[in-house]
Amino acid sequence: MGYTVDDAKLLADRAKLRFSREQLEKATQELNDMIRYVDQLAHVDTEGVPPMSHPHSFANVWRDDEPKEGLSAEDALANAPDRHGQFFRVPRIIAGEEEG
Amino acid sequence: MSENVLDLSVHELRRKLLQGQVTAADMVDAALKRIEALDGAIGAFITVDAEGARVAAEKVDRMVTEAVRSGDEKALPPLAGIPVALKDNICTRGLRTTASSRILESFVPPYSATVVEKLQSAGAIVVGKTNLDEFAMGSTTESSAFHTTRNPWDLERVPGGSSGGSAAAVAAGMASAAVGTDTGGSVRLPSAFCGTVGLKPTYARVSRYGVISYGSSLDCVGPIAGNVLDCAIMLGVMAGLDPRDATSSPEPVPDYVESARSGLDGLQGVRIGVPAEFFAPGIASGVRETVERTLHRLEEAGAELVDVSLPHVEYSVAVYYLVATAEASSNLARYDGVRYGLRAEGKDDVGSTIAASRTEGFGQEVQRRILLGSHALSAGNYAAYFDKAMRVRTLIRRDIEAALEKCDCFVSPTSSTTAFKIGEVRDPLAMYLQDIYTIVANLAGVPAISVPCGLHQGLPVGFQVFGPMFGEPTLFRVAAAVEQASAGEMRRPKLEVM
C-alpha cells in the first residue's frame, strides 16, 4: 500500500516543494522505505496508553500583561527579500485580469 | 602547536587569568590563530567573528584589571575571556546565522538567543559559528549546504553530527568550549566521535529562545567541552528559567561543578543500570571492550552495577523519525521567502515563489524529512502514524522511569562504532540507525551525557550516562569518574601535521 509517484507529488505540493520527475521517483522510493520501517509500530500494543506530545506538562504558563519593547520595524524588515516602506512586499497573490 | 594556551581547561584558564598569567586577548588570539592554522583542513566554522571577539576580549580584560585591583575576584564572571563556538542554528544578533542551509545563507538575526546572552554575560567570547547538518538533520555534518567538517582525529572521517563543527572546534583547540543542539543525539554523537564531553540536558533545562527549531518537543541546547568540569561550568551558565521560552523550567539550577568534583571521590552508593538492550550484539567489538572495561572500573570505584531492561527501546528510531519529522514539517513551514531567507527569482505569483524558494533553499535531507513528516500528519495517516508514535513514546518513557527506579543512572555506548569514513553511510535509513543509543533521551526528555572512555584504533569511544529528569548532578558525578578512570587511555588528537 505504498506511495505512487503521483501520491508523492501531491504530498510534495502540500508541503510546497517542487520536484522534477526524476527527483520524485527517488523521493517516492525513500518515502516507501521509511514507511516500511516505521510500520513496525503497528505491532506494538498501545491499548489504553495515552499519547505523549511533550516531556513536560506545563500548562497555561502566564506572564503579566506588561508592555515591553519588541523588535523595531526596521529590525524586523532588515532580512526581508523585498520591502515597500514598512511592509514586506510579495509577488502578486490574486491573478490579474490579463490572465483571464 | 603544543604551546596553545587553549590546551588548558576552562577552570585552569580562569586561575591563570586571575593570576595575570594570561589575558582574554591572549585566549582569543590563540583561538583565532588556531582557527587560521587548522580550519582550512577541518572546516569546523561557517563564520569566524575575529573582530567581534577581539573587541569583547578588550572589554573582559578591563573587567579583570578591575576585579584584581579591587580584590573582588568573585565579581569576575565564570567564563571571563573564554573563547566559545556556537552551532550555527543559534541566533546571534548582528552575526550571520545559517543553520547550514541555503535558505538562511544571508540571514543576520535581529536578536540573540537567550543562551548566547547568558554566555556573554558570563564573560564568554564568541569566536564563531560552527557547521552542522542542515537544520540539524543528520548524524555526520555531511548534509551541511556549505561544506563537510572533518574529524580532527582523522581527516578522512566524519566528526559526527549534527553539532559536528562545535565538537571538532573543541577537539582541535579552536575554542575552549562550544554549544550544540541535540534533537536525537546531535551533541552526544559528535562528542563521542571527536573525544569531547557533550551533554543533552533535561528537556526545558536550557532556554530554546532564539534557537532555530527542528523538533520542538525534542530539541535541547547543550554544552560541549574538553572535560567534565568545563561542561558542568558551561551548563551552570546556560541553564535556567527564561520568560521568553514558556517551555523552560522553573526548577532551580544546582551547583553542577560541585557534582562533577564529587565524582573524583569514588562512586560509593551509586547504582548504575546496565540495560540489556544497549549491550546487545551490533556494537563494534573495540567499542564494546572499551565501554565494558570502563564499567568494570566504575565498579572498582564503588558503583553497584544493576541489570535493567528497556523493552520498547527497539522502537525508538521509528518513533523518533515520525515525531521529529512531523514537528520539523510544521516548524519549517515558516521558510516561505517572504519575511527573511532566500526568495527564488522569476516567479510572478506568491504560491510559485514560495514553492520555488523552498525547493531551491532546502537540501535533500531536509526535503526528505518534510515529506515524511507531512505523511505522518496528513489526515488519513495521523492515527496510524503520528498518534501511534506518540503512544509508543509514552511506553518508552515508562520503560525509562521503571529502569530508574532500580538505579540512579543507566549507561550505554554513545555509538555502536567509532567515527566512520566520510561518504561511508549513504542509505538514509542506515544513517538514522546511527542514533539508536541516543534518541531515547530526547523522546523521554531525560538528560544524557557522552564522555570519552578511551581510544579504539586511535579513535575516541564515547560512554553515555542517562539520568532522571533534572538528574544532571548524577551525570556529572559519574562522568567525572569515567574521565578519571580513562585518563590513562585518553589524549588529544595529533594535529601537528597541519
Side-chain angles (χ1 to χ4, degrees):
Chain A
M1 213 197 67
Y3 270 79
T4 64
V5 171
D6 288 339
D7 298 335
K9 185 177 184 316
L10 193 64
L11 199 62
D13 284 346
R14 287 180 183 152
K16 294 258 185 275
L17 296 171
R18 296 255 160 93
F19 294 135
S20 68
R21 190 76 193 171
E22 194 187 332
Q23 288 168 322
L24 209 52
E25 278 166 12
K26 186 163 176 266
T28 308
Q29 194 208 321
E30 286 168 351
L31 195 58
N32 284 328
D33 286 349
M34 277 308 294
I35 291 169
R36 251 193 307 280
Y37 179 76
V38 298
D39 271 340
Q40 61 176 298
L41 296 183
H43 307 302
V44 186
D45 181 5
T46 51
E47 187 69 39
V49 178
M52 172 180 170
S53 60
H54 208 266
H56 288 294
S57 48
F58 305 144
N60 298 339
V61 179
W62 303 108
R63 62 168 169 76
D64 293 333
D65 187 17
E66 289 165 355
K68 277 190 191 144
E69 191 129 341
L71 277 188
S72 69
E74 258 332 291
D75 276 351
L77 284 156
N79 283 283
D82 193 9
R83 63 184 282 189
H84 175 76
Q86 297 284 288
F87 300 97
F88 296 100
R89 181 154 60 189
V90 294
R92 194 184 56 212
I93 293 175
I94 300 165
E97 276 178 22
E98 69 273 21
E99 300 212 338
Chain B
M1 291 279 170
S2 57
E3 72 280 12
N4 185 5
V5 64
L6 298 191
D7 286 345
L8 297 171
S9 64
V10 169
H11 49 280
E12 288 164 332
L13 284 170
R14 181 177 176 82
R15 193 165 41 82
K16 287 199 173 279
L17 188 74
L18 286 167
Q19 289 169 349
Q21 292 170 6
V22 69
T23 64
D26 293 339
M27 290 190 251
V28 164
D29 278 345
L32 295 174
K33 261 191 205 142
R34 191 88 160 181
I35 291 167
E36 201 180 323
L38 297 178
D39 207 42
I42 294 174
F45 287 88
I46 292 175
T47 306
V48 176
D49 186 17
E51 197 193 326
R54 288 203 175 99
V55 171
E58 278 176 28
K59 201 173 136 200
V60 170
D61 279 329
R62 285 197 295 273
M63 280 165 58
V64 176
T65 309
E66 180 56 29
V68 171
R69 194 186 56 77
S70 65
D72 188 11
E73 296 181 354
K74 288 236 163 66
L76 196 65
L79 294 173
I82 300 298
V84 298
L86 304 173
K87 188 177 183 178
D88 207 25
N89 60 349
I90 298 169
C91 287
T92 40
R93 185 181 166 91
L95 185 63
R96 188 170 74 122
T97 300
T98 67
S100 282
S101 181
R102 292 279 170 219
I103 212 159
L104 288 177
E105 190 167 3
S106 52
F107 177 64
V108 179
Y111 61 90
S112 284
T114 297
V115 71
V116 175
E117 289 183 349
K118 279 177 175 267
L119 287 164
Q120 288 177 330
S121 304
I125 295 173
V126 175
V127 291
K129 309 293 296 288
T130 58
N131 199 20
L132 61 146
D133 287 293
E134 186 176 356
F135 282 103
M137 298 178 183
S139 308
T140 63
T141 318
E142 290 168 292
S143 83
S144 164
F146 305 124
H147 59 262
T148 294
T149 300
R150 292 168 179 272
N151 191 316
W153 290 81
D154 177 348
L155 297 178
E156 300 303 308
R157 292 177 189 271
V158 299
S162 65
S163 313
S166 285
V170 173
M174 298 189 282
S176 289
V179 180
T181 59
D182 190 314
T183 305
S186 283
V187 160
R188 292 162 288 157
L189 186 68
S191 288
F193 282 8
C194 292
T196 56
V197 178
L199 173 80
K200 181 210 101 70
T202 303
Y203 183 84
R205 176 73 295 185
V206 175
S207 166
R208 292 183 295 116
Y209 178 79
V211 178
I212 294 173
S213 298
Y214 163 15
S216 301
S217 80
L218 306 159
D219 291 345
C220 291
V221 184
I224 295 174
N227 61 78
V228 175
L229 200 54
D230 289 358
C231 190
I233 295 170
M234 286 286 285
L235 183 66
V237 168
M238 294 160 62
L241 180 66
D242 177 12
R244 293 181 293 187
D245 175 0
T247 63
S248 70
S249 171
E251 187 81 11
V253 179
D255 185 347
Y256 298 122
V257 173
E258 193 190 309
S259 309
R261 290 218 164 95
S262 73
L264 304 179
D265 301 327
L267 293 178
Q268 280 75 20
V270 178
R271 295 166 305 161
I272 297 179
V274 183
E277 294 82 0
F278 280 161
F279 289 86
I283 306 172
S285 60
V287 171
R288 177 187 290 276
E289 283 154 23
T290 311
V291 169
E292 286 179 350
R293 184 180 63 211
T294 306
L295 265 179
H296 181 65
R297 287 179 183 166
L298 296 183
E299 212 174 2
E300 286 174 348
E304 182 196 342
L305 302 189
V306 184
D307 289 328
V308 295
S309 178
L310 304 168
H312 295 93
V313 81
E314 64 176 294
Y315 302 111
S316 58
V317 174
V319 171
Y320 177 80
Y321 277 95
L322 288 167
V323 172
T325 59
E327 294 184 4
S329 72
S330 307
N331 274 323
L332 270 58
R334 77 190 65 179
Y335 300 100
D336 55 9
V338 172
R339 292 147 300 148
Y340 52 84
L342 179 124
R343 179 184 292 184
E345 301 287 334
K347 303 287 172 190
D348 59 3
D349 71 283
V350 75
S352 309
T353 301
I354 292 173
S357 302
R358 290 166 62 80
T359 306
E360 278 175 36
F362 291 141
Q364 241 184 20
E365 182 58 33
V366 173
Q367 298 191 5
R368 190 181 286 135
R369 294 196 194 197
I370 291 174
L371 277 192
L372 183 61
S374 305
H375 162 78
L377 291 177
S378 58
N381 297 317
Y382 181 88
Y385 290 94
F386 189 61
D387 185 75
K388 184 75 180 182
M390 287 197 294
R391 290 175 200 274
V392 182
R393 187 178 182 184
T394 301
L395 293 174
I396 291 169
R397 183 182 207 173
R398 286 179 183 171
D399 282 358
I400 286 177
E401 286 167 350
L404 286 167
E405 278 174 19
K406 295 189 196 159
C407 55
D408 302 300
C409 62
F410 62 86
V411 299
S412 78
T414 309
S415 167
S416 58
T417 65
T418 52
F420 44 88
K421 292 248 169 84
I422 291 168
E424 191 176 325
V425 180
R426 291 244 174 256
D427 174 56
L429 185 55
M431 187 67 89
Y432 297 170
L433 290 168
Q434 293 300 321
D435 299 334
I436 190 138
Y437 297 103
T438 51
I439 273 173
V440 286
N442 303 81
L443 290 175
V446 299
I449 193 167
S450 177
V451 55
C453 66
L455 299 174
H456 173 59
Q457 294 175 339
L459 294 171
V461 174
F463 186 94
Q464 187 173 217
V465 190
F466 300 79
M469 300 298 272
F470 302 102
E472 282 87 352
T474 306
L475 300 196
F476 284 126
R477 182 178 175 196
V478 174
V482 170
E483 187 172 69
Q484 188 182 39
S486 318
E489 278 95 48
M490 277 310 292
R491 55 170 175 80
R492 285 180 168 272
K494 293 192 178 100
L495 291 158
E496 53 279 76
V497 284
M498 286 166 269

